[in-house]
């Protein structure tokens, strides 16, 4: 993804400054670590290296290697250790370098972390955050490019956040760290240098509250993570043709703000859902189904889905660039919905 | 009545347990008898179709859970396995609430949401049994990391069967536990069978070479002799509390029953003669009882009293659980999220 050409509205009130999404993540972690000594970071190359994306740079200098803990390359092992630490009074924030590596820790996330609270009849809690990445177009091929957030959204006991802006990233990550449940937190690795306004003051953003990134009345574009920028660019293209698109970002796939999605769908009567996961059995399918179930009689046309192609992510730029949704694609689908195809 | 404050001050005892009072040995005997009676009752519930699902019986392995947990404090942690009833009881769970959980009743330790394979009781330091073989190795090691970070001197014990030696997670966390000198004790219960397959068909090389590769001291323990188990556990726990890191105990033991209650015909993987030999020669209750009688520490009738009391506790517990109410169906959606 290139740096988005679309500016987002500044959050209301207070003093803001422009920082990158990576800085927003780092600020959220540092503030929570200062606020609560139980919060610590665990993962591969999180300390001196600050991760390959440099998102964590500087944290080990402030908090020391006892709270910014470099692990061996053992995803299952250190996620499992984090689950046990979370069950016994700590609040670990795990770093999984590439979302693809979540596959190595699936038992610990799905069979252990997600189920401990329920299986224990509510006696044990797992206040665990797993930060990881999603998103293609980094020329990293099939094992470093997947967007696997749908898998975790499927599992009762897990929460899933995927911010699209520095403002959302900071506010949602602070909420994730304070949540008493395991939270999967997906950051698009192509967005770390995206800048946006972030308040100087402390704030959090509750889970399950969608954000309307652009108002409009003709068609709703529901978009997640970096697809918000794709949808906003599509909205600009559509505007030139007299179509006003509303862009809605759910911000968390679970809990899901059904109400805001449905309200927008009822208003516009036309909905396109855009997500970078594979299209089949994906987040787009769930969101489209929820909207169809709740707003069917207000819809002018079937809900449409735009997702990543159902192929492993290929390496060659010529091949890879076809696999992710583009503003042109999204605009074309929206145009069809509006009878302008 | 033998003087309960007298210690079993015998030279053949391992040094670490020479100060254990007779009353404590008798308590351990009683606890082993409770576990055995509990498991016999579980089997009975299954056979008479009064228990939903299956259970994996711990009979034959009692000395491991009891000996290890006798070396722990209430605030220390354990994680357990699918064959976990013995660990839960040894760490302090109540018989009646255990039965309630096994029967899916509201007063069960998990309000009937966990069942036989998921009993957790944080009040007694039990972070949960686990139905994924080796699945709790991360949790136990993480509890040890947490104890170290919080500056307590708590120790975590990870119980697992020799079947878990095939799981990669175990080696990942043993590596970190050794690197970070975490207060965790890995207790491998080698009951010889990975479900229905002899461990020699699944386990290459020398088991103790595995912890050794990570710089973790390991020792082989007679898991049928609670004196040896307690001694080894005390050494390991003391080492953990001193901040010297993890220990691996390989406890040789035997599962009298099948992999689970429904595994009745076992002739295709082991012989009746083998089973009878373990029961006759290597029974953990018998070994403790005969030693105490021979050493003049207790009389035969004291063990009979203990066994009767254990059976009575189990009878009362199961009666209570059978009569106890089920959870309200509306509880199905509770505790998905904290």
């Amino acid at each position: 993804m290139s740096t988005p050409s679309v500016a987002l509205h500044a959050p209301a009130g207070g003093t803001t400054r422009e920082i990158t999404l990576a800085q927003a993540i780092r600020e959220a972690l540092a503030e929570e670590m200062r606020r609560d000594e139980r919060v610590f970071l665990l993962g591969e190359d999180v300390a001196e290296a600050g991760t390959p994306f440099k998102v964590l740079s500087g944290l080990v200098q402030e908090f020391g290697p006892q709270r910014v803990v470099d692990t061996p390359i053992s995803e299952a092992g250190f996620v499992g250790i984090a689950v046990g630490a979370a069950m016994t009074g700590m609040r670990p924030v795990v770093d999984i370098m590439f979302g693809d590596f979540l596959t190595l820790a699936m038992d610990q996330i799905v069979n252990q972390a997600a189920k401990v609270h329920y299986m224990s009849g509510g006696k044990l809690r797992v206040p665990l955050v797993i930060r990881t990445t999603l998103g293609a177009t980094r020329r990293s091929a099939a094992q470093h490019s997947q967007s696997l957030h749908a898998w975790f959204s499927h599992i009762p006991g897990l929460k899933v956040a995927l911010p699209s802006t520095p403002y959302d990233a900071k506010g949602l990550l602070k909420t994730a760290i304070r949540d008493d449940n395991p939270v999967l937190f997906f950051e698009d690795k192509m967005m770390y240098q995206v800048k946006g306004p972030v308040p100087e003051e402390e704030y959090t953003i509750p889970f399950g509250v969608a954000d309307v990134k652009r108002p409009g009345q003709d068609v709703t574009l529901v978009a997640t993570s970096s697809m918000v920028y794709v949808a906003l660019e599509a909205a600009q293209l559509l505007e030139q043709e007299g179509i006003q698109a509303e862009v809605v970002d759910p911000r968390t796939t679970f809990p899901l703000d059904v109400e805001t999605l449905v309200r927008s769908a009822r208003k516009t009567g036309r909905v396109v859902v855009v997500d970078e996961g594979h299209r089949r059995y994906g987040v787009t399918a769930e969101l489209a189904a929820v909207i169809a179930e709740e707003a069917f009689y207000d819809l002018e046309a079937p809900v449409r889905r735009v997702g990543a192609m159902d192929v492993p992510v290929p390496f060659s730029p010529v091949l890879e660039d076809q696999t992710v949704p583009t503003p042109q694609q999204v605009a074309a689908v929206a145009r069809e919905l509006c009878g302008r195809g | 009545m033998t003087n309960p404050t007298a210690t079993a001050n015998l030279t053949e005892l391992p040094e670490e347990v020479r100060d254990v009072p007779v009353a404590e040995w008798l308590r351990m005997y009683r606890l082993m008898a409770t576990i055995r009676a509990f498991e016999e009752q579980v089997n009975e519930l299954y056979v008479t179709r009064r228990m939903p699902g299956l259970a994996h019986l711990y009979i034959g392995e009692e000395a491991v859970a009891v000996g290890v947990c006798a070396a722990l404090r209430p605030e220390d942690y354990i994680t357990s396995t699918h064959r976990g009833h013995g660990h839960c009881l040894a760490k302090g769970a109540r018989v009646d609430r255990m039965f309630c959980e096994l029967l899916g009743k509201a007063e069960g330790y998990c309000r009937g949401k966990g069942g036989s394979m998921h009993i957790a009781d944080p009040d007694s330091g039990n972070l949960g049994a686990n139905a994924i073989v080796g699945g709790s190795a991360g949790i136990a090691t993480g509890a040890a990391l947490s104890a170290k970070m919080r500056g307590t001197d708590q120790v975590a014990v990870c119980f697992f069967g020799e079947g878990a030696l095939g799981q990669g997670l175990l080696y990942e966390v043993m590596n970190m536990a050794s690197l970070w000198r975490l207060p965790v004790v890995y207790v491998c219960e080698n009951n010889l069978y990975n479900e229905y397959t002899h461990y020699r068909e699944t386990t290459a090389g020398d088991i103790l070479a595995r912890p050794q590769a990570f710089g973790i001291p390991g020792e082989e323990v007679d898991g049928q002799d609670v004196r040896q188990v307690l001694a080894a556990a005390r050494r390991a726990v003391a080492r953990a509390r001193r901040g010297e890191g993890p220990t691996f105990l390989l406890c040789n033991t035997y599962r009298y029953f099948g992999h689970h209650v429904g595994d009745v015909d076992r002739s295709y993987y082991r012989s009746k003669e083998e089973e009878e030999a373990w029961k006759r020669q290597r029974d953990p209750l018998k070994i403790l009882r005969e030693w105490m009688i021979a050493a003049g520490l207790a009389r035969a009738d004291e063990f009979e009293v203990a066994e009767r009391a254990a059976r009575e506790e189990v009878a009362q517990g199961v009666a209570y659980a059978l009569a106890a109410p089920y959870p309200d169906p509306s509880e199905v959606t509770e505790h998905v999220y904290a």
Side-chain angles (χ1 to χ4, degrees):
Chain A
M1 205 191 87
S2 55
T3 306
S5 55
V6 200
L8 282 158
H9 61 275
T15 326
T16 67
R17 69 256 133 85
E18 293 275 319
I19 61 171
T20 65
L21 191 133
Q23 286 172 312
I25 296 286
R26 190 157 55 238
E27 279 190 7
L29 292 169
E31 287 176 18
E32 291 305 297
M33 290 175 80
R34 282 177 211 132
R35 186 185 63 79
D36 185 346
E37 63 180 13
R38 298 170 299 174
V39 178
F40 72 101
L41 310 183
L42 190 70
E44 295 156 9
D45 291 318
V46 294
E48 284 75 14
T51 80
F53 302 108
K54 303 298 167 198
V55 176
L56 307 182
S57 293
L59 292 178
V60 73
Q61 281 77 9
E62 178 174 354
F63 299 102
Q66 305 306 314
R67 292 182 72 193
V68 184
V69 183
D70 270 339
T71 65
I73 300 172
S74 304
E75 285 82 3
F78 66 76
V79 171
I81 284 174
V83 173
M87 287 164 66
T88 54
M90 300 300 288
R91 303 186 79 87
V93 180
V94 168
D95 188 292
I96 299 280
M97 200 180 283
F98 288 87
D100 314 69
F101 307 163
L102 287 166
T103 54
L104 294 155
M106 286 304 270
D107 172 59
Q108 294 304 307
I109 300 169
V110 175
N111 288 328
Q112 312 297 339
K115 294 178 173 53
V116 160
H117 185 63
Y118 193 79
M119 290 195 307
S120 68
K123 281 201 219 132
L124 291 163
R125 289 170 184 226
V126 186
L128 165 70
V129 179
I130 299 177
R131 287 182 45 253
T132 191
T133 58
L134 57 70
T137 70
R138 198 166 169 266
R139 313 315 180 203
S140 306
Q143 295 173 342
H144 287 71
S145 305
Q146 295 172 88
S147 301
L148 300 176
H149 47 293
W151 291 4
F152 304 92
S153 310
H154 184 66
I155 301 300
L158 301 178
K159 295 185 179 181
V160 179
L162 57 172
S164 64
T165 67
Y167 174 75
D168 289 352
K170 184 173 178 185
L172 290 170
L173 184 52
K174 286 169 71 89
T175 298
I177 293 169
R178 297 178 192 191
D179 200 292
D180 275 343
N181 299 283
V183 179
L184 275 290
F185 195 89
F186 286 89
E187 301 156 15
D188 190 317
K189 58 181 90 69
M190 302 303 286
M191 289 196 323
Y192 281 129
Q193 298 315 312
V194 167
K195 283 195 165 179
V198 172
E200 298 278 5
E201 298 77 25
E202 156 110 40
Y203 70 98
T204 59
I205 297 173
F207 283 0
V209 180
D211 188 42
V212 177
K213 298 294 188 198
R214 181 191 197 276
Q217 68 282 343
D218 299 325
V219 61
T220 299
L221 308 178
V222 178
T224 58
S225 188
S226 63
M227 293 300 105
V228 167
Y229 298 99
V230 169
L232 287 168
E233 283 191 46
Q236 282 190 337
L237 297 172
L238 293 165
E239 188 172 28
Q240 292 162 14
E241 301 158 32
I243 297 171
Q244 293 301 330
E246 177 152 292
V247 176
V248 182
D249 176 1
R251 299 199 288 200
T252 49
T253 50
F254 193 88
L256 180 66
D257 182 358
V258 175
E259 197 186 324
T260 300
L261 299 186
V262 169
R263 194 190 309 128
S264 180
R266 287 203 172 118
K267 181 173 76 172
T268 63
R270 298 172 176 90
V271 182
V272 184
V273 187
V274 194
D275 179 84
E276 205 183 331
H278 294 300
R279 186 170 178 277
R280 74 182 189 214
Y281 297 91
V283 162
T284 58
E286 174 69 10
L287 300 189
V290 164
I291 292 165
E293 280 173 347
E294 302 277 329
F296 185 77
Y297 294 105
D298 296 295
L299 293 176
E300 304 289 336
V303 181
R304 294 286 300 272
R305 296 182 289 144
V306 181
M309 282 174 72
D310 292 326
V311 297
V313 178
F315 167 68
S316 173
V318 174
L319 301 175
E320 185 183 26
D321 287 343
Q322 299 175 70
T323 66
V324 293
T326 62
Q328 290 72 24
Q329 246 183 311
V330 174
V333 173
R335 225 177 268 127
E336 273 179 44
L337 277 185
C338 296
R340 311 271 189 93
Chain B
M1 175 77 194
T2 317
N3 178 7
T5 57
T7 54
N9 194 15
L10 299 172
T11 45
E12 75 262 33
L13 275 177
E15 196 186 326
E16 292 81 2
V17 295
R18 284 190 197 147
D19 64 338
V20 174
V22 169
E24 174 65 1
W25 292 119
L26 284 171
R27 186 193 69 81
M28 285 186 258
Y29 186 86
R30 165 68 204 277
L31 196 47
M32 291 198 290
T34 302
I35 293 169
R36 181 157 299 185
F38 182 91
E39 296 291 58
E40 284 167 353
Q41 180 63 67
V42 171
N43 195 48
E44 177 68 14
L45 286 171
Y46 169 76
V47 170
T48 55
R49 301 184 177 193
R50 287 181 292 172
M51 181 180 71
L54 294 169
H56 307 78
L57 304 182
Y58 195 66
I59 294 180
E61 309 185 27
E62 295 91 342
V64 182
V66 170
V68 169
C69 290
L72 298 176
R73 300 173 183 163
E75 67 272 21
D76 290 329
Y77 299 112
I78 64 161
T79 63
S80 174
T81 72
H82 58 285
R83 197 175 307 290
H85 305 162
H87 308 134
C88 299
L89 289 166
K91 193 65 174 61
R94 290 171 54 98
V95 163
D96 49 1
R97 296 196 59 203
M98 292 271 296
F99 276 125
C100 282
E101 189 58 36
L102 266 64
L103 293 171
K105 300 300 181 76
E107 285 176 68
Y109 275 108
C110 313
R111 297 202 65 77
K113 284 195 167 93
S116 164
M117 292 195 285
H118 299 294
I119 292 174
D121 177 27
D123 292 340
S124 64
N126 176 2
L127 297 175
N130 211 299
I132 304 296
V133 170
S136 74
I139 293 170
T141 310
L145 174 65
S146 164
K148 186 170 181 175
M149 290 180 113
R150 287 181 286 108
T152 75
D153 67 350
Q154 289 164 292
V155 170
V157 167
C158 181
F159 288 105
F160 56 93
E162 87 292 339
L165 294 169
Q167 295 282 25
L169 176 73
L170 182 64
Y171 305 104
E172 294 191 13
V173 299
M174 278 167 55
N175 182 45
M176 283 179 267
S178 181
L179 280 170
W180 302 338
R181 291 178 165 247
L182 300 183
V184 55
V185 182
Y186 298 103
V187 177
C188 179
E189 300 177 309
N190 184 3
N191 67 17
L192 305 184
Y193 295 93
N194 299 187
E195 299 194 0
Y196 318 102
T197 303
H198 198 282
Y199 84 97
R200 286 208 186 87
E201 295 175 44
T202 62
T203 316
D206 171 12
I207 292 174
L208 285 178
R210 299 180 183 202
Q212 190 186 20
F214 296 107
I216 297 177
E219 66 173 294
E220 198 160 353
V221 182
D222 179 353
Q224 303 308 90
D225 186 342
V226 74
R227 300 167 296 178
Q228 301 297 333
V229 176
L230 177 62
R234 281 187 163 190
R235 285 191 289 273
V237 169
R239 199 172 163 270
R241 285 206 216 284
R242 287 196 304 267
E244 292 170 21
T247 303
F248 186 104
L249 302 181
L250 174 58
C251 298
N252 296 318
T253 184
Y254 196 77
R255 182 187 86 195
Y256 287 5
F257 281 68
H259 168 55
H260 59 66
V261 284
D263 174 22
V264 178
D265 174 18
R266 302 184 281 274
S267 57
Y268 65 94
Y269 67 88
R270 69 187 199 191
S271 68
K272 276 257 189 295
E273 292 70 32
E274 179 187 289
E275 292 182 2
E276 289 310 315
W278 276 87
K279 289 177 193 173
R280 208 169 45 244
Q281 297 158 22
R282 305 291 304 133
D283 183 71
L285 284 92
K286 194 173 164 203
I287 289 171
L288 179 61
R289 185 174 62 231
E290 288 181 353
W291 165 67
M292 289 187 76
I293 292 170
L297 298 171
R299 295 185 317 268
D301 62 302
E302 292 180 69
F303 299 97
E304 284 158 29
V305 167
E307 283 166 28
R308 241 190 337 269
R311 282 196 297 272
E312 182 57 26
E313 184 185 0
V314 165
Q316 283 177 10
V318 76
Y320 180 86
L322 284 165
Y326 285 102
D328 190 276
S330 67
E331 290 194 27
V332 68
T333 53
E334 281 178 19
H335 309 127
V336 181
Y337 291 95

